[in-house]
Amino acid sequence: MRLLTTLTLTSMMTLSIAAAQTTMCFKQNHKDMATIENTKLDGGLCKGSKSVEDMKKEGWQIDDIKITSKENANNYIYIFKKADPKKEVIVQKVTPVIQPTTPTTKQVVVSNIDEAALEEKILQRLEQRKKEEIALKKKQIYFRKSKSGEKLYKNKCQSCHGEKGEIKSKGFSREINKLNLQDFTISIRDYNNGTYDRGAAFIMRPYATLMTDQDVKNVYVYLRSINQKKKKEETKK
């Protein structure tokens, strides 16, 4: 009997690559997990007008979810995918084999975006928003302190210490716009306690006794703000 051995060095394998659309949407600071799927999401194809349920109705499927906690709320990142069977790319690949094989079809999902990079970008955006919110809150607090300090300073201090704290009151005191917060606070406290005397303590003591620690900070913030503004204006000139 003659044995016929057929050695086929190559065969053609056809890959049918079903292209898939991918988009990433997110929601920041959402408190109720029970309502998240009906809440409008930001970013991607959601654009603040579509919820998870809306995306599902349009044929999208949830491919991945990332949830991060923040105080009493959560941040959500959804990755949606929708296969498009109409788009196919035929790829021929040469593969060494021992025997002839029948061409096979393998479905490979191709993402049109880098999910990891997009997720990182969204997380960076959320972190940047957080920093901006903190900075804004600090600015608002600083502004409130400055306005409160302005009212107190103009009513109680300006007549002796000058418009910007640049005058040595009665020729004895220091220029209070040059004091740091610690020295400023200690001076008021010592005037209040009667342990500080630069020659005019009897004038300053009645005002010091009426000032709370917060009042002292507010006046300091106000003086600092107007003197910094003055320096900026002089620098521009």
PDB file of all heavy atoms in Angstrom, residues 124-151:
ATOM      1  N   GLN A 124      -8.970  62.382  34.912  1.00  0.00           N
ATOM      2  CA  GLN A 124      -8.200  63.617  35.065  1.00  0.00           C
ATOM      3  C   GLN A 124      -9.118  64.831  35.038  1.00  0.00           C
ATOM      4  O   GLN A 124      -8.921  65.793  35.786  1.00  0.00           O
ATOM      5  CB  GLN A 124      -7.154  63.723  33.950  1.00  0.00           C
ATOM      6  CG  GLN A 124      -6.003  62.750  34.092  1.00  0.00           C
ATOM      7  CD  GLN A 124      -5.044  62.822  32.919  1.00  0.00           C
ATOM      8  OE1 GLN A 124      -5.266  63.548  31.946  1.00  0.00           O
ATOM      9  NE2 GLN A 124      -3.962  62.062  32.992  1.00  0.00           N
ATOM     10  N   ARG A 125     -10.138  64.756  34.178  1.00  0.00           N
ATOM     11  CA  ARG A 125     -11.098  65.857  34.087  1.00  0.00           C
ATOM     12  C   ARG A 125     -11.884  65.999  35.388  1.00  0.00           C
ATOM     13  O   ARG A 125     -12.109  67.111  35.874  1.00  0.00           O
ATOM     14  CB  ARG A 125     -12.053  65.600  32.918  1.00  0.00           C
ATOM     15  CG  ARG A 125     -13.076  66.703  32.695  1.00  0.00           C
ATOM     16  CD  ARG A 125     -13.922  66.394  31.483  1.00  0.00           C
ATOM     17  NE  ARG A 125     -14.988  67.352  31.314  1.00  0.00           N
ATOM     18  CZ  ARG A 125     -15.923  67.270  30.378  1.00  0.00           C
ATOM     19  NH1 ARG A 125     -15.892  66.278  29.512  1.00  0.00           N
ATOM     20  NH2 ARG A 125     -16.874  68.178  30.292  1.00  0.00           N
ATOM     21  N   LEU A 126     -12.294  64.859  35.965  1.00  0.00           N
ATOM     22  CA  LEU A 126     -13.019  64.891  37.234  1.00  0.00           C
ATOM     23  C   LEU A 126     -12.134  65.444  38.350  1.00  0.00           C
ATOM     24  O   LEU A 126     -12.586  66.224  39.192  1.00  0.00           O
ATOM     25  CB  LEU A 126     -13.501  63.483  37.599  1.00  0.00           C
ATOM     26  CG  LEU A 126     -14.569  62.867  36.689  1.00  0.00           C
ATOM     27  CD1 LEU A 126     -14.871  61.441  37.117  1.00  0.00           C
ATOM     28  CD2 LEU A 126     -15.845  63.696  36.711  1.00  0.00           C
ATOM     29  N   GLU A 127     -10.866  65.029  38.350  1.00  0.00           N
ATOM     30  CA  GLU A 127      -9.929  65.508  39.365  1.00  0.00           C
ATOM     31  C   GLU A 127      -9.691  67.005  39.211  1.00  0.00           C
ATOM     32  O   GLU A 127      -9.607  67.742  40.202  1.00  0.00           O
ATOM     33  CB  GLU A 127      -8.602  64.751  39.242  1.00  0.00           C
ATOM     34  CG  GLU A 127      -7.583  65.087  40.327  1.00  0.00           C
ATOM     35  CD  GLU A 127      -8.049  64.702  41.716  1.00  0.00           C
ATOM     36  OE1 GLU A 127      -8.881  63.784  41.841  1.00  0.00           O
ATOM     37  OE2 GLU A 127      -7.581  65.333  42.684  1.00  0.00           O
ATOM     38  N   GLN A 128      -9.605  67.462  37.951  1.00  0.00           N
ATOM     39  CA  GLN A 128      -9.410  68.886  37.700  1.00  0.00           C
ATOM     40  C   GLN A 128     -10.616  69.689  38.170  1.00  0.00           C
ATOM     41  O   GLN A 128     -10.476  70.769  38.754  1.00  0.00           O
ATOM     42  CB  GLN A 128      -9.176  69.122  36.198  1.00  0.00           C
ATOM     43  CG  GLN A 128      -8.920  70.579  35.825  1.00  0.00           C
ATOM     44  CD  GLN A 128      -7.691  71.158  36.489  1.00  0.00           C
ATOM     45  OE1 GLN A 128      -6.725  70.438  36.758  1.00  0.00           O
ATOM     46  NE2 GLN A 128      -7.703  72.449  36.764  1.00  0.00           N
ATOM     47  N   ARG A 129     -11.811  69.146  37.923  1.00  0.00           N
ATOM     48  CA  ARG A 129     -13.027  69.816  38.399  1.00  0.00           C
ATOM     49  C   ARG A 129     -13.027  69.920  39.920  1.00  0.00           C
ATOM     50  O   ARG A 129     -13.422  70.940  40.486  1.00  0.00           O
ATOM     51  CB  ARG A 129     -14.267  69.035  37.946  1.00  0.00           C
ATOM     52  CG  ARG A 129     -14.663  69.271  36.503  1.00  0.00           C
ATOM     53  CD  ARG A 129     -16.003  68.628  36.232  1.00  0.00           C
ATOM     54  NE  ARG A 129     -16.422  68.800  34.858  1.00  0.00           N
ATOM     55  CZ  ARG A 129     -17.573  68.329  34.377  1.00  0.00           C
ATOM     56  NH1 ARG A 129     -18.394  67.671  35.163  1.00  0.00           N
ATOM     57  NH2 ARG A 129     -17.895  68.521  33.113  1.00  0.00           N
ATOM     58  N   LYS A 130     -12.585  68.844  40.571  1.00  0.00           N
ATOM     59  CA  LYS A 130     -12.533  68.832  42.030  1.00  0.00           C
ATOM     60  C   LYS A 130     -11.597  69.925  42.537  1.00  0.00           C
ATOM     61  O   LYS A 130     -11.923  70.664  43.478  1.00  0.00           O
ATOM     62  CB  LYS A 130     -12.058  67.460  42.514  1.00  0.00           C
ATOM     63  CG  LYS A 130     -12.004  67.320  44.024  1.00  0.00           C
ATOM     64  CD  LYS A 130     -11.540  65.925  44.409  1.00  0.00           C
ATOM     65  CE  LYS A 130     -11.435  65.782  45.923  1.00  0.00           C
ATOM     66  NZ  LYS A 130     -10.969  64.418  46.305  1.00  0.00           N
ATOM     67  N   LYS A 131     -10.420  70.046  41.899  1.00  0.00           N
ATOM     68  CA  LYS A 131      -9.460  71.074  42.298  1.00  0.00           C
ATOM     69  C   LYS A 131     -10.029  72.470  42.064  1.00  0.00           C
ATOM     70  O   LYS A 131      -9.831  73.377  42.873  1.00  0.00           O
ATOM     71  CB  LYS A 131      -8.158  70.900  41.509  1.00  0.00           C
ATOM     72  CG  LYS A 131      -7.365  69.660  41.891  1.00  0.00           C
ATOM     73  CD  LYS A 131      -6.095  69.551  41.071  1.00  0.00           C
ATOM     74  CE  LYS A 131      -5.298  68.312  41.452  1.00  0.00           C
ATOM     75  NZ  LYS A 131      -4.064  68.166  40.640  1.00  0.00           N
ATOM     76  N   GLU A 132     -10.735  72.627  40.933  1.00  0.00           N
ATOM     77  CA  GLU A 132     -11.328  73.931  40.626  1.00  0.00           C
ATOM     78  C   GLU A 132     -12.410  74.293  41.639  1.00  0.00           C
ATOM     79  O   GLU A 132     -12.542  75.455  42.035  1.00  0.00           O
ATOM     80  CB  GLU A 132     -11.909  73.911  39.208  1.00  0.00           C
ATOM     81  CG  GLU A 132     -10.849  73.866  38.125  1.00  0.00           C
ATOM     82  CD  GLU A 132     -11.432  73.668  36.737  1.00  0.00           C
ATOM     83  OE1 GLU A 132     -12.674  73.468  36.645  1.00  0.00           O
ATOM     84  OE2 GLU A 132     -10.670  73.710  35.752  1.00  0.00           O
ATOM     85  N   GLU A 133     -13.205  73.285  42.057  1.00  0.00           N
ATOM     86  CA  GLU A 133     -14.254  73.530  43.048  1.00  0.00           C
ATOM     87  C   GLU A 133     -13.645  73.944  44.388  1.00  0.00           C
ATOM     88  O   GLU A 133     -14.135  74.864  45.046  1.00  0.00           O
ATOM     89  CB  GLU A 133     -15.105  72.272  43.231  1.00  0.00           C
ATOM     90  CG  GLU A 133     -16.010  71.966  42.044  1.00  0.00           C
ATOM     91  CD  GLU A 133     -16.714  70.630  42.196  1.00  0.00           C
ATOM     92  OE1 GLU A 133     -16.487  69.949  43.222  1.00  0.00           O
ATOM     93  OE2 GLU A 133     -17.490  70.264  41.289  1.00  0.00           O
ATOM     94  N   ILE A 134     -12.563  73.254  44.783  1.00  0.00           N
ATOM     95  CA  ILE A 134     -11.891  73.587  46.046  1.00  0.00           C
ATOM     96  C   ILE A 134     -11.307  74.993  45.981  1.00  0.00           C
ATOM     97  O   ILE A 134     -11.435  75.784  46.923  1.00  0.00           O
ATOM     98  CB  ILE A 134     -10.784  72.558  46.351  1.00  0.00           C
ATOM     99  CG1 ILE A 134     -11.403  71.190  46.650  1.00  0.00           C
ATOM    100  CG2 ILE A 134      -9.925  73.016  47.532  1.00  0.00           C
ATOM    101  CD1 ILE A 134     -10.393  70.079  46.823  1.00  0.00           C
ATOM    102  N   ALA A 135     -10.669  75.306  44.842  1.00  0.00           N
ATOM    103  CA  ALA A 135     -10.075  76.635  44.673  1.00  0.00           C
ATOM    104  C   ALA A 135     -11.147  77.721  44.709  1.00  0.00           C
ATOM    105  O   ALA A 135     -10.949  78.791  45.299  1.00  0.00           O
ATOM    106  CB  ALA A 135      -9.303  76.696  43.355  1.00  0.00           C
ATOM    107  N   LEU A 136     -12.301  77.432  44.084  1.00  0.00           N
ATOM    108  CA  LEU A 136     -13.393  78.406  44.067  1.00  0.00           C
ATOM    109  C   LEU A 136     -13.941  78.634  45.471  1.00  0.00           C
ATOM    110  O   LEU A 136     -14.211  79.777  45.863  1.00  0.00           O
ATOM    111  CB  LEU A 136     -14.511  77.917  43.140  1.00  0.00           C
ATOM    112  CG  LEU A 136     -15.748  78.826  43.039  1.00  0.00           C
ATOM    113  CD1 LEU A 136     -15.355  80.204  42.526  1.00  0.00           C
ATOM    114  CD2 LEU A 136     -16.802  78.194  42.135  1.00  0.00           C
ATOM    115  N   LYS A 137     -14.092  77.547  46.237  1.00  0.00           N
ATOM    116  CA  LYS A 137     -14.590  77.674  47.610  1.00  0.00           C
ATOM    117  C   LYS A 137     -13.632  78.506  48.457  1.00  0.00           C
ATOM    118  O   LYS A 137     -14.056  79.353  49.245  1.00  0.00           O
ATOM    119  CB  LYS A 137     -14.780  76.288  48.231  1.00  0.00           C
ATOM    120  CG  LYS A 137     -15.979  75.532  47.684  1.00  0.00           C
ATOM    121  CD  LYS A 137     -16.114  74.172  48.340  1.00  0.00           C
ATOM    122  CE  LYS A 137     -17.311  73.414  47.777  1.00  0.00           C
ATOM    123  NZ  LYS A 137     -17.448  72.058  48.380  1.00  0.00           N
ATOM    124  N   LYS A 138     -12.329  78.251  48.290  1.00  0.00           N
ATOM    125  CA  LYS A 138     -11.329  79.023  49.036  1.00  0.00           C
ATOM    126  C   LYS A 138     -11.399  80.503  48.662  1.00  0.00           C
ATOM    127  O   LYS A 138     -11.290  81.381  49.521  1.00  0.00           O
ATOM    128  CB  LYS A 138      -9.927  78.476  48.751  1.00  0.00           C
ATOM    129  CG  LYS A 138      -9.636  77.138  49.407  1.00  0.00           C
ATOM    130  CD  LYS A 138      -8.204  76.705  49.134  1.00  0.00           C
ATOM    131  CE  LYS A 138      -7.880  75.393  49.834  1.00  0.00           C
ATOM    132  NZ  LYS A 138      -6.482  74.959  49.557  1.00  0.00           N
ATOM    133  N   LYS A 139     -11.583  80.751  47.374  1.00  0.00           N
ATOM    134  CA  LYS A 139     -11.669  82.127  46.901  1.00  0.00           C
ATOM    135  C   LYS A 139     -12.900  82.821  47.466  1.00  0.00           C
ATOM    136  O   LYS A 139     -12.846  83.991  47.862  1.00  0.00           O
ATOM    137  CB  LYS A 139     -11.714  82.132  45.369  1.00  0.00           C
ATOM    138  CG  LYS A 139     -11.599  83.514  44.750  1.00  0.00           C
ATOM    139  CD  LYS A 139     -11.509  83.425  43.241  1.00  0.00           C
ATOM    140  CE  LYS A 139     -11.354  84.812  42.622  1.00  0.00           C
ATOM    141  NZ  LYS A 139     -11.252  84.734  41.135  1.00  0.00           N
ATOM    142  N   GLN A 140     -14.020  82.088  47.510  1.00  0.00           N
ATOM    143  CA  GLN A 140     -15.255  82.652  48.053  1.00  0.00           C
ATOM    144  C   GLN A 140     -15.121  82.947  49.544  1.00  0.00           C
ATOM    145  O   GLN A 140     -15.580  83.985  50.027  1.00  0.00           O
ATOM    146  CB  GLN A 140     -16.419  81.687  47.801  1.00  0.00           C
ATOM    147  CG  GLN A 140     -16.809  81.578  46.334  1.00  0.00           C
ATOM    148  CD  GLN A 140     -17.815  80.473  46.077  1.00  0.00           C
ATOM    149  OE1 GLN A 140     -17.967  79.547  46.880  1.00  0.00           O
ATOM    150  NE2 GLN A 140     -18.512  80.555  44.951  1.00  0.00           N
ATOM    151  N   ILE A 141     -14.485  82.022  50.275  1.00  0.00           N
ATOM    152  CA  ILE A 141     -14.268  82.227  51.713  1.00  0.00           C
ATOM    153  C   ILE A 141     -13.356  83.429  51.938  1.00  0.00           C
ATOM    154  O   ILE A 141     -13.606  84.273  52.805  1.00  0.00           O
ATOM    155  CB  ILE A 141     -13.657  80.964  52.351  1.00  0.00           C
ATOM    156  CG1 ILE A 141     -14.681  79.827  52.341  1.00  0.00           C
ATOM    157  CG2 ILE A 141     -13.195  81.244  53.779  1.00  0.00           C
ATOM    158  CD1 ILE A 141     -14.115  78.487  52.776  1.00  0.00           C
ATOM    159  N   TYR A 142     -12.292  83.504  51.141  1.00  0.00           N
ATOM    160  CA  TYR A 142     -11.350  84.617  51.242  1.00  0.00           C
ATOM    161  C   TYR A 142     -12.057  85.940  50.969  1.00  0.00           C
ATOM    162  O   TYR A 142     -11.833  86.938  51.665  1.00  0.00           O
ATOM    163  CB  TYR A 142     -10.211  84.406  50.240  1.00  0.00           C
ATOM    164  CG  TYR A 142      -9.060  85.374  50.375  1.00  0.00           C
ATOM    165  CD1 TYR A 142      -8.013  85.117  51.254  1.00  0.00           C
ATOM    166  CD2 TYR A 142      -9.024  86.541  49.623  1.00  0.00           C
ATOM    167  CE1 TYR A 142      -6.953  86.003  51.376  1.00  0.00           C
ATOM    168  CE2 TYR A 142      -7.969  87.434  49.742  1.00  0.00           C
ATOM    169  CZ  TYR A 142      -6.936  87.157  50.618  1.00  0.00           C
ATOM    170  OH  TYR A 142      -5.894  88.039  50.743  1.00  0.00           O
ATOM    171  N   PHE A 143     -12.939  85.939  49.966  1.00  0.00           N
ATOM    172  CA  PHE A 143     -13.672  87.156  49.611  1.00  0.00           C
ATOM    173  C   PHE A 143     -14.597  87.586  50.750  1.00  0.00           C
ATOM    174  O   PHE A 143     -14.675  88.771  51.087  1.00  0.00           O
ATOM    175  CB  PHE A 143     -14.487  86.917  48.338  1.00  0.00           C
ATOM    176  CG  PHE A 143     -15.312  88.105  47.910  1.00  0.00           C
ATOM    177  CD1 PHE A 143     -14.722  89.193  47.291  1.00  0.00           C
ATOM    178  CD2 PHE A 143     -16.681  88.129  48.144  1.00  0.00           C
ATOM    179  CE1 PHE A 143     -15.474  90.297  46.902  1.00  0.00           C
ATOM    180  CE2 PHE A 143     -17.442  89.228  47.763  1.00  0.00           C
ATOM    181  CZ  PHE A 143     -16.840  90.313  47.143  1.00  0.00           C
ATOM    182  N   ARG A 144     -15.299  86.605  51.351  1.00  0.00           N
ATOM    183  CA  ARG A 144     -16.205  86.932  52.460  1.00  0.00           C
ATOM    184  C   ARG A 144     -15.437  87.500  53.648  1.00  0.00           C
ATOM    185  O   ARG A 144     -15.875  88.459  54.293  1.00  0.00           O
ATOM    186  CB  ARG A 144     -16.995  85.685  52.882  1.00  0.00           C
ATOM    187  CG  ARG A 144     -18.072  85.275  51.896  1.00  0.00           C
ATOM    188  CD  ARG A 144     -19.057  84.318  52.546  1.00  0.00           C
ATOM    189  NE  ARG A 144     -18.434  83.071  52.943  1.00  0.00           N
ATOM    190  CZ  ARG A 144     -18.351  82.001  52.160  1.00  0.00           C
ATOM    191  NH1 ARG A 144     -18.858  82.033  50.945  1.00  0.00           N
ATOM    192  NH2 ARG A 144     -17.779  80.891  52.596  1.00  0.00           N
ATOM    193  N   LYS A 145     -14.287  86.890  53.941  1.00  0.00           N
ATOM    194  CA  LYS A 145     -13.463  87.397  55.040  1.00  0.00           C
ATOM    195  C   LYS A 145     -12.988  88.814  54.745  1.00  0.00           C
ATOM    196  O   LYS A 145     -12.977  89.683  55.619  1.00  0.00           O
ATOM    197  CB  LYS A 145     -12.254  86.482  55.258  1.00  0.00           C
ATOM    198  CG  LYS A 145     -12.576  85.155  55.922  1.00  0.00           C
ATOM    199  CD  LYS A 145     -11.311  84.351  56.146  1.00  0.00           C
ATOM    200  CE  LYS A 145     -11.605  83.038  56.855  1.00  0.00           C
ATOM    201  NZ  LYS A 145     -10.365  82.253  57.079  1.00  0.00           N
ATOM    202  N   SER A 146     -12.591  89.032  53.493  1.00  0.00           N
ATOM    203  CA  SER A 146     -12.096  90.341  53.100  1.00  0.00           C
ATOM    204  C   SER A 146     -13.181  91.407  53.230  1.00  0.00           C
ATOM    205  O   SER A 146     -12.938  92.503  53.736  1.00  0.00           O
ATOM    206  CB  SER A 146     -11.579  90.290  51.660  1.00  0.00           C
ATOM    207  OG  SER A 146     -11.127  91.561  51.243  1.00  0.00           O
ATOM    208  N   LYS A 147     -14.402  91.095  52.789  1.00  0.00           N
ATOM    209  CA  LYS A 147     -15.499  92.065  52.865  1.00  0.00           C
ATOM    210  C   LYS A 147     -15.873  92.351  54.314  1.00  0.00           C
ATOM    211  O   LYS A 147     -16.131  93.502  54.689  1.00  0.00           O
ATOM    212  CB  LYS A 147     -16.721  91.540  52.109  1.00  0.00           C
ATOM    213  CG  LYS A 147     -16.520  91.401  50.615  1.00  0.00           C
ATOM    214  CD  LYS A 147     -16.152  92.719  49.942  1.00  0.00           C
ATOM    215  CE  LYS A 147     -17.274  93.718  49.951  1.00  0.00           C
ATOM    216  NZ  LYS A 147     -16.933  94.965  49.228  1.00  0.00           N
ATOM    217  N   SER A 148     -15.894  91.306  55.140  1.00  0.00           N
ATOM    218  CA  SER A 148     -16.204  91.496  56.556  1.00  0.00           C
ATOM    219  C   SER A 148     -15.108  92.312  57.230  1.00  0.00           C
ATOM    220  O   SER A 148     -15.381  93.212  58.037  1.00  0.00           O
ATOM    221  CB  SER A 148     -16.343  90.129  57.243  1.00  0.00           C
ATOM    222  OG  SER A 148     -16.595  90.284  58.620  1.00  0.00           O
ATOM    223  N   GLY A 149     -13.850  91.998  56.887  1.00  0.00           N
ATOM    224  CA  GLY A 149     -12.720  92.731  57.452  1.00  0.00           C
ATOM    225  C   GLY A 149     -12.695  94.177  56.998  1.00  0.00           C
ATOM    226  O   GLY A 149     -12.325  95.075  57.763  1.00  0.00           O
ATOM    227  N   GLU A 150     -13.104  94.414  55.750  1.00  0.00           N
ATOM    228  CA  GLU A 150     -13.143  95.777  55.225  1.00  0.00           C
ATOM    229  C   GLU A 150     -14.104  96.651  56.038  1.00  0.00           C
ATOM    230  O   GLU A 150     -13.775  97.786  56.416  1.00  0.00           O
ATOM    231  CB  GLU A 150     -13.586  95.755  53.761  1.00  0.00           C
ATOM    232  CG  GLU A 150     -13.711  97.141  53.145  1.00  0.00           C
ATOM    233  CD  GLU A 150     -14.235  97.106  51.724  1.00  0.00           C
ATOM    234  OE1 GLU A 150     -14.714  96.037  51.289  1.00  0.00           O
ATOM    235  OE2 GLU A 150     -14.175  98.146  51.046  1.00  0.00           O
ATOM    236  N   LYS A 151     -15.277  96.124  56.301  1.00  0.00           N
ATOM    237  CA  LYS A 151     -16.282  96.880  57.060  1.00  0.00           C
ATOM    238  C   LYS A 151     -15.771  97.212  58.459  1.00  0.00           C
ATOM    239  O   LYS A 151     -15.888  98.357  58.932  1.00  0.00           O
ATOM    240  CB  LYS A 151     -17.570  96.061  57.148  1.00  0.00           C
ATOM    241  CG  LYS A 151     -18.699  96.768  57.873  1.00  0.00           C
ATOM    242  CD  LYS A 151     -19.951  95.903  57.873  1.00  0.00           C
ATOM    243  CE  LYS A 151     -21.084  96.610  58.618  1.00  0.00           C
ATOM    244  NZ  LYS A 151     -22.329  95.785  58.626  1.00  0.00           N
TER     245      LYS A 151
END
